[in-house]
Amino acid sequence: MRFRIDRSGHNTSAHPSPQDPAPAPAVHAVEPEAVEAPLSAHEIDLIRASVSVVEPLAAEMTVYFYAILFARYPEVRPMFPPGMDAQRGRLLRALLRIVDLVDDPESLVRFCGHLGRDHRKFGTLGAHFPAVGECLLASLARYAGPAWTADLAAAWTKAYGVVAQVMISAAEEDEAVRPAVWPATVVHRVSRGNGIAEITVRPHLPYAYAAGQYVSIETPWWPKHWRYYSPANAPREDGTLTFHVRAVAGGTVSRALVNRAVVGNEVQLGPPMGDMVLDAAVHSDLLFVAGGTGLAPIRALVEEVARRGGRHQVDLFLGARTGAELYGVDDMLRMAQRHHWLTIRGAVSHEHIPGIRGSLPQVLAEYGPWYQHDVYLSGPAQMVVSANETLTQGGTLPERIHHDPFETPVLSMS
C-alpha cells in the first residue's frame, strides 16, 4: 500500500494528548497496490533508528494510535475487545518483531503471512489496511518529533506497504481453502490440579493442523478475547483436540476455560499457527525440553514420532520448580514404557528430592552436548531463552533450535 504524506501539520510535542488528534500530520490513504521493491539498507537503518526514538514513549504512542483509529474510523471499533490494555502491548510487540525482520525478507513474509491468515477470525478485510496504515504513520510521525523526515516517512510507508500486501494476499489465499474460525464443542474436561484443566474439544468442521502448532481460542464468556494454546495431541481420527490450560491471574480466557467450561459449551478456534513441527527436523536424534504446561506441544510431537513409526531417538527433559509442579510426568513415563526410542528425565530446581536437581538449562549443559540433535523448546520465555543460550554455546546451530514466539504477537485485534 502507498500513502501520501502531508507534513504541514507536524507537531513535535513529546507528550501529545490522545484526545486531540487534530495536530497529527495528515496521512492520506489511497488504493492499495503491490510494493515489490525490497527495503534498502538505508531505509532499514532509518526505520530502526526511528524505533529507538519512539520506544521510550511507545505505550503513549499505542494509546494515541487506537484513539485516532477509532475516532477517524469508528466502524472498526466493534472488531476489538472492550478492554484495550493487552491489545496495545500486542501491537507494540508485533511492530518490534517486524522491525527485527526487515532485513530478512523470507522470515518477514512468513511472519506477516501468519498474521494475515490469523486476522481473518477478527473480520479483517483488505479495506481496513489503509486506515490502519494512515493512523500508524500519523502516530509514528507525532512521537518521532523532529526525527520524522520525508525520507523516514517514505521508508515506513514502503515497509507498511510490504507488510499489508503480504497479509492481504495470505488472507485471500487462505479464504479460498478454509473458514476463518471453527466452532468446537467441549466434549471432555478433567482437572489436573495446580490450576490446570485438560479440555478436549471437537470442531464442527474438519480442522487440519500439525503436531507442535498452536491454536487461538475464544470463549463465549469473553467475546473477542483470544488466547493461544498448543494441542497436547497429534491429529486424531476423531478430530478432537486436547488442551492443557493453566488459570493465570488476570487471564480472562484461561480462567474461563479452567473455572467455567463444561461439557457441551461451544468455543471458537482460530487457524493453526507455528513452525515448531517435526518436518522442520533434519537430524534423526531429537531433544525435547518442556517446562510446565509447555509440555503440551512436546507431548503432541512425541505422539507424532510414534505415528511415524518411531524413526527418531528422542531425549525428553521435563522441568519444574518443585516435584508437585512436575506436570504430566506420569503420563510421559507410561509413553516411554511403550516406546523404546523415548528417554525421559525430570528435573526440579527449588526442592531437594531424589532425582535430578537444577534448572533445565543447567541440566541440559550437564547431559550435553546436543549439537547433533534437532531441539524443540517449550515453556516459560525465560527458560527458553536461557536454554537456547546454553545449547548454542554447546555447539547446537541456531537453525536447529525450534520454539514458538515468546508472546504470540498480534498486529491488530486480539
Side-chain angles (χ1 to χ4, degrees):
M1 297 183 181
R2 301 189 186 276
F3 300 89
R4 297 192 301 273
I5 312 296
D6 176 7
R7 299 178 63 249
S8 60
H10 195 146
N11 185 306
T12 60
S13 169
H15 298 278
S17 167
Q19 283 75 37
D20 182 15
V27 186
H28 306 288
V30 297
E31 288 301 311
E33 57 183 272
V35 182
E36 298 179 354
L39 296 176
S40 68
H42 177 61
E43 290 167 331
I44 291 171
D45 289 343
L46 284 174
I47 288 173
R48 287 183 168 161
S50 70
V51 169
S52 67
V53 173
V54 302
E55 195 165 10
L57 298 170
E60 295 179 34
M61 188 187 77
T62 55
V63 170
Y64 179 78
F65 164 76
Y66 283 111
I68 62 173
L69 177 65
F70 297 156
R72 298 178 185 182
Y73 301 96
E75 66 274 14
V76 306
R77 183 62 182 92
M79 300 169 66
F80 292 80
M84 292 294 296
D85 288 346
Q87 176 54 41
R88 296 185 189 104
R90 292 188 179 99
L91 170 67
L92 178 59
R93 289 193 296 273
L95 288 175
L96 293 176
R97 180 62 175 156
I98 287 169
V99 170
D100 284 342
L101 296 175
V102 290
D103 58 355
D104 183 356
E106 182 179 346
S107 296
L108 181 64
V109 167
R110 183 168 60 250
F111 175 76
C112 294
H114 282 319
L115 285 181
R117 289 184 289 273
D118 193 45
H119 276 57
R120 291 184 55 220
K121 70 190 181 199
F122 306 119
T124 305
L125 303 174
H128 295 135
F129 283 85
V132 171
E134 171 191 323
C135 297
L136 176 61
L137 267 68
S139 302
L140 289 165
R142 173 180 278 266
Y143 281 85
W148 189 259
T149 64
D151 285 348
L152 179 57
W156 268 106
T157 298
K158 186 175 181 181
Y160 180 78
V162 171
V163 169
Q165 192 57 55
V166 171
M167 289 182 66
I168 291 171
S169 297
E172 290 176 346
E173 293 172 3
D174 197 59
E175 185 178 11
V177 296
R178 62 182 184 178
V181 297
W182 287 256
T185 299
V186 176
V187 294
H188 184 70
R189 183 200 176 281
V190 61
S191 175
R192 293 301 185 189
N194 293 307
I196 298 173
E198 183 179 295
I199 297 174
T200 300
V201 304
R202 177 176 286 112
H204 300 179
L205 300 169
Y207 189 88
Y209 73 99
Q213 289 190 301
Y214 54 91
V215 176
S216 55
I217 301 179
E218 179 194 44
T219 71
W221 305 284
W222 292 94
K224 304 187 189 306
H225 285 255
W226 294 80
R227 178 72 166 84
Y228 292 90
Y229 298 97
S230 296
N233 60 283
R236 297 167 175 154
E237 289 187 5
D238 67 0
T240 60
L241 298 87
T242 297
F243 300 96
H244 296 171
V245 182
R246 183 191 298 275
V248 299
T252 54
V253 177
S254 67
R255 293 175 69 85
L257 288 172
V258 171
N259 300 324
R260 301 183 66 172
V262 296
V263 172
N265 286 152
E266 185 174 302
V267 298
Q268 302 284 341
L269 306 181
M273 299 179 68
D275 302 313
M276 197 179 77
V277 297
L278 198 59
D279 287 340
V282 299
H283 295 297
S284 59
D285 291 336
L286 306 178
L287 170 63
F288 293 163
V289 184
T293 51
L295 177 61
I298 298 300
R299 189 188 186 286
L301 286 167
V302 170
E303 282 195 3
E304 183 64 19
V305 173
R307 285 202 335 156
R308 298 187 183 192
R311 294 193 297 270
H312 296 275
Q313 290 296 316
V314 178
D315 283 275
L316 168 58
F317 286 82
L318 306 175
R321 291 168 54 87
T322 67
E325 296 174 355
L326 202 55
Y327 173 73
V329 64
D330 291 341
D331 183 32
M332 299 311 300
L333 287 172
R334 285 191 291 270
M335 294 182 73
Q337 291 174 352
R338 295 194 300 270
H339 305 300
H340 65 87
W341 42 263
L342 177 62
T343 301
I344 296 178
R345 300 178 180 92
V348 297
S349 58
H350 288 68
E351 185 180 18
H352 289 280
I353 60 174
I356 303 173
R357 187 171 189 274
S359 69
L360 282 172
Q362 291 169 339
V363 173
L364 291 176
E366 178 182 349
Y367 280 82
W370 305 100
Y371 59 87
Q372 293 183 325
H373 291 65
D374 270 88
V375 183
Y376 292 78
L377 306 174
S378 181
Q382 184 178 359
M383 181 278 287
V384 173
V385 170
S386 184
N388 201 326
E389 292 175 353
T390 297
L391 291 162
T392 53
Q393 290 170 3
T396 304
L397 296 175
E399 58 266 29
R400 301 272 60 85
I401 302 175
H402 315 279
H403 58 80
D404 287 336
F406 298 128
E407 290 192 65
T408 305
V410 178
L411 187 56
S412 60
M413 288 72 69
S414 178

